[in-house]
């Protein structure tokens, strides 16, 4: 949620052809207002704790399906709900805490890491990849892009 609140991403297709993805949002305490950029998209699954009060703007958005969870920090419950909704794969555009949960539980198969050429002296550390193989590296402008594959099958 910090990523959405700080960066306010659109999470849609803009500079390429194709349809925008279904957006999955995990918001334990229902902190989002509905004014964030991503709520202008066509389909959003909004996961929150079953006892959290969702804003009226989100509840009234026909593109948003609210999905209550008993424990939004339980990755397995989240994945089971996705399975029941027919979603079999996803791209995680999240903060370090969420990404690290999936890495620690070995619930990933491909990771793309972008490393900027400019150095930042403080901030949040990036997630630590375990059981990974560097598959491919290339330059994108001044930045480095590394693709890792999971060793876990």
């Amino acid at each position: 949620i910090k990523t959405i609140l700080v960066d306010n991403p659109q999470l849609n297709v803009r500079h390429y052809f194709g349809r925008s993805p279904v957006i999955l949002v995990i918001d334990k305490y229902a902190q989002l207002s509905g004014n964030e950029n991503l709520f202008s998209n066509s389909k959003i699954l909004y996961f929150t704790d079953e006892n959290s009060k969702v804003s009226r703007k989100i509840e009234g958005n026909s593109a948003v399906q609210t999905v209550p969870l008993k424990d939004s920090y339980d990755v397995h419950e989240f994945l089971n709900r996705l399975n029941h909704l027919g979603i079999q794969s996803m791209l995680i555009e999240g903060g370090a805490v969420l990404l690290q949960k999936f890495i620690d539980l070995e619930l990933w198969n491909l990771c793309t890491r972008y490393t900027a050429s400019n150095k930042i002296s403080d901030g949040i550390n990036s997630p630590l990849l375990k059981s990974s193989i560097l598959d491919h590296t290339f330059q994108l402008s001044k930045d480095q892009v590394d693709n890792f594959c999971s060793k876990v099958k």
Side-chain angles (χ1 to χ4, degrees), residues 109-140:
N109 59 3
L110 175 67
C111 174
T112 301
R113 177 180 65 194
Y114 295 86
T115 305
S117 57
N118 56 334
K119 301 293 179 195
I120 300 172
S121 60
D122 60 345
I124 299 170
N125 291 331
S126 62
L128 299 173
L129 289 175
K130 303 172 193 173
S131 304
S132 65
I133 300 168
L134 180 60
D135 181 55
H136 184 71
T137 299
F138 63 95
Q139 289 296 124
L140 182 65

Side-chain angles (χ1 to χ4, degrees), residues 49-106:
D49 275 8
E50 58 189 5
N51 297 321
S52 293
K53 178 76 174 117
V54 176
S55 81
R56 286 186 183 166
K57 186 162 188 177
I58 292 173
E59 282 182 343
N61 186 332
S62 62
V64 179
Q65 178 182 346
T66 302
V67 183
L69 296 172
K70 289 182 180 156
D71 180 1
S72 61
Y73 289 137
D74 183 347
V75 172
H76 293 291
E77 180 188 0
F78 170 71
L79 293 175
N80 284 332
R81 294 302 294 270
L82 288 181
N83 186 47
H84 288 292
L85 293 166
I87 296 175
Q88 300 297 315
S89 65
M90 67 179 152
L91 172 123
I92 301 174
E93 177 72 33
V97 173
L98 179 64
L99 292 171
Q100 194 66 59
K101 283 184 182 195
F102 281 88
I103 292 167
D104 290 346
L105 293 169
E106 298 178 340

